[in-house]
Amino acid sequence: MEYSETSPYTLRRVVPEDIPAICRIYNHYIEHTAVTFEMEPLSPQQIRERMEECEKQNYPFFVVGKGSLVVGYAYIHQWDRRQAYRSTCEITIYLDKDYTGRGYGRLLYEMLIGEIDKTQVHVLIAGICLPNQASVRLHEKFGFKQVSHMREIGWKLGEWRDVGHWQLIF
């Protein structure tokens, strides 16, 4: 068996006690990278509202930990509020900057995609700020196919950014 830095790990549904760790992980990406187009760090209350929305919609939201430290999270949420899109969701994943490339994203996606109610969700969409080969590889490993490449669609950290969309149909 191949050695994995992901052992031992914990993989479970999100709980309110995870909010500070999720804020820490996500706010790093907001403040220091272009992988999210949010510009201002999120408060714990904003994270709580996102968690509650997932719970209300019966969408999965998981965290992965190394020991007692939460090192990543992934969830799905409604892609667009228009009624015709009701079975299309967006998938979101973020890993602690010090724990990328170690298999935690794969663990989260295996659990998350396995838990999706396919009678409720027909399509998953992943929006990826490009270039981001690690995210592209992760999504394509799970069968996502690129369906768009929008050039210079967002301005962050002093330059125009491209975004691609990957789609998985169940």
Side-chain angles (χ1 to χ4, degrees):
M1 183 172 172
E2 184 177 311
Y3 172 75
S4 170
E5 289 191 50
T6 58
S7 292
Y9 66 88
T10 56
L11 188 60
R12 60 176 172 73
R13 289 196 178 273
V14 70
V15 295
E17 292 76 22
D18 297 322
I19 291 172
I22 292 169
C23 276
R24 173 184 51 79
I25 292 166
Y26 189 50
N27 286 338
H28 164 78
Y29 289 97
I30 292 172
E31 295 175 307
H32 302 287
T33 77
V35 298
T36 175
F37 282 7
E38 294 201 66
M39 304 294 273
E40 299 296 326
L42 296 187
S43 69
Q45 181 58 35
Q46 289 169 302
I47 296 293
R48 178 181 300 280
E49 289 166 3
R50 290 180 186 191
M51 288 171 51
E52 289 171 352
E53 185 64 25
C54 286
E55 185 177 312
K56 185 172 107 180
Q57 298 292 326
N58 199 31
Y59 293 143
F61 192 136
F62 289 99
V63 296
V64 64
K66 177 81 170 168
S68 63
L69 177 68
V70 172
V71 299
Y73 66 95
Y75 64 98
I76 67 168
H77 53 95
Q78 194 65 44
W79 182 66
D80 188 296
R81 295 214 179 268
R82 292 179 182 100
Q83 188 64 22
Y85 295 121
R86 69 186 167 277
S87 59
T88 300
C89 289
E90 185 172 1
I91 193 163
T92 297
I93 184 169
Y94 285 94
L95 299 173
D96 182 294
K97 65 180 176 50
D98 296 325
Y99 288 86
T100 61
R102 300 183 186 189
Y104 292 105
R106 177 185 51 80
L107 291 169
L108 279 166
Y109 268 23
E110 284 173 356
M111 178 67 86
L112 185 73
I113 291 171
E115 288 289 316
I116 291 172
D117 179 352
K118 295 180 181 75
T119 64
Q120 181 182 8
V121 178
H122 178 64
V123 175
L124 280 181
I125 295 175
I128 302 172
C129 181
L130 300 171
N132 186 339
Q133 265 317 110
S135 187
V136 169
R137 272 193 313 274
L138 175 66
H139 288 90
E140 289 181 351
K141 179 183 281 190
F142 283 90
F144 285 78
K145 304 287 185 215
Q146 186 173 9
V147 294
S148 79
H149 185 140
M150 298 181 290
R151 299 193 189 293
E152 298 184 6
I153 192 166
W155 178 264
K156 187 160 182 193
L157 300 177
E159 59 186 277
W160 289 107
R161 306 293 177 159
D162 292 1
V163 171
H165 288 96
W166 274 253
Q167 180 182 43
L168 178 65
I169 300 175
F170 295 109

